[in-house]
Amino acid sequence: MAKKPETSSRIADNKKAAYNYFFEERLEAGLVLQGWEVKALREGKVQLTDGYVLARGGELFLIGCQINPLKTASTHVNPEAARTKKLLLHKEQIQKLVNKVDQKGYTLVPLNLHWKDGRVKCEIALAKGKAEHDKRDTIKDREGKREVERAMKVHHR
């Protein structure tokens, strides 16, 4: 029996995260979801930009991630768009992350939601906040790259 190729496709990205934080370490975590949430994710009805990760009682939770229910949601389920979702990681990984967040002023930020082998995964990062001048540098670098690309495009015509 042939092994299935690994399939991975993005559902949602947190584009603000790269602007606001420096990433130290990235991890992929599983996500505990309800059935209506999975259906809404297949339709792309999710917003991750206001989300953050919080540690409580040795567990990690994704807070502020909006999954908007479909209009065809079941009548016996009361969908809550901003429900707190549990992240699934090994205890050692959670403990290591919690220790770093407590000691060094790091925070945990969700980067994206994606499909992996038929399951929804959340990529989280151990991140440190950027200062205002770092954010300006990020914008300046991005605009510089755009200018170079434009010049190369005009030059190749």
Side-chain angles (χ1 to χ4, degrees):
M1 193 166 153
K3 188 177 177 185
K4 282 183 173 178
E6 185 174 308
T7 57
S8 177
S9 63
R10 299 243 170 156
I11 301 169
D13 287 317
N14 186 353
K15 293 177 183 170
K16 278 187 180 178
Y19 177 72
N20 291 325
Y21 299 98
F22 292 116
F23 304 135
E24 299 289 324
E25 185 179 338
R26 294 173 183 241
L27 286 167
E28 185 179 69
L31 206 56
V32 177
L33 297 172
Q34 295 178 350
W36 68 268
E37 291 174 318
V38 176
K39 290 179 180 180
L41 287 175
R42 288 188 203 283
E43 298 293 320
K45 304 247 181 212
V46 63
Q47 184 256 337
L48 196 60
T49 53
D50 294 334
Y52 59 96
V53 178
L54 197 68
R56 279 194 225 143
E59 295 177 326
L60 295 178
F61 295 94
L62 179 61
I63 299 172
C65 171
Q66 297 276 336
I67 299 178
N68 298 318
L70 298 174
K71 292 181 177 135
T72 59
S74 178
T75 57
H76 67 279
V77 175
N78 292 330
E80 183 183 338
R83 187 179 73 85
T84 300
K85 295 144 198 73
K86 185 176 176 182
L87 293 172
L88 304 173
L89 284 170
H90 293 285
K91 281 188 179 183
E92 299 84 33
Q93 291 175 315
I94 294 172
Q95 193 59 44
K96 187 175 110 179
L97 290 173
V98 169
N99 289 341
K100 286 187 179 179
V101 167
D102 289 343
Q103 292 175 0
K104 301 178 186 174
Y106 287 104
T107 188
L108 293 170
V109 180
L111 300 180
N112 67 50
L113 293 177
H114 59 274
W115 295 103
K116 184 173 182 182
D117 297 330
R119 300 184 191 278
V120 178
K121 301 291 182 175
C122 179
E123 186 178 3
I124 60 173
L126 186 64
K128 200 166 226 169
K130 286 184 179 179
E132 198 61 40
H133 67 277
D134 292 328
K135 292 179 184 179
R136 285 193 292 268
D137 291 343
T138 302
I139 293 170
K140 191 186 301 181
D141 291 343
R142 185 177 32 194
E143 288 176 356
K145 287 179 185 175
R146 278 192 200 141
E147 289 294 324
V148 168
E149 287 176 11
R150 278 192 204 121
M152 293 297 285
K153 188 176 179 182
V154 170
H155 179 66
H156 286 295
R157 283 187 178 176

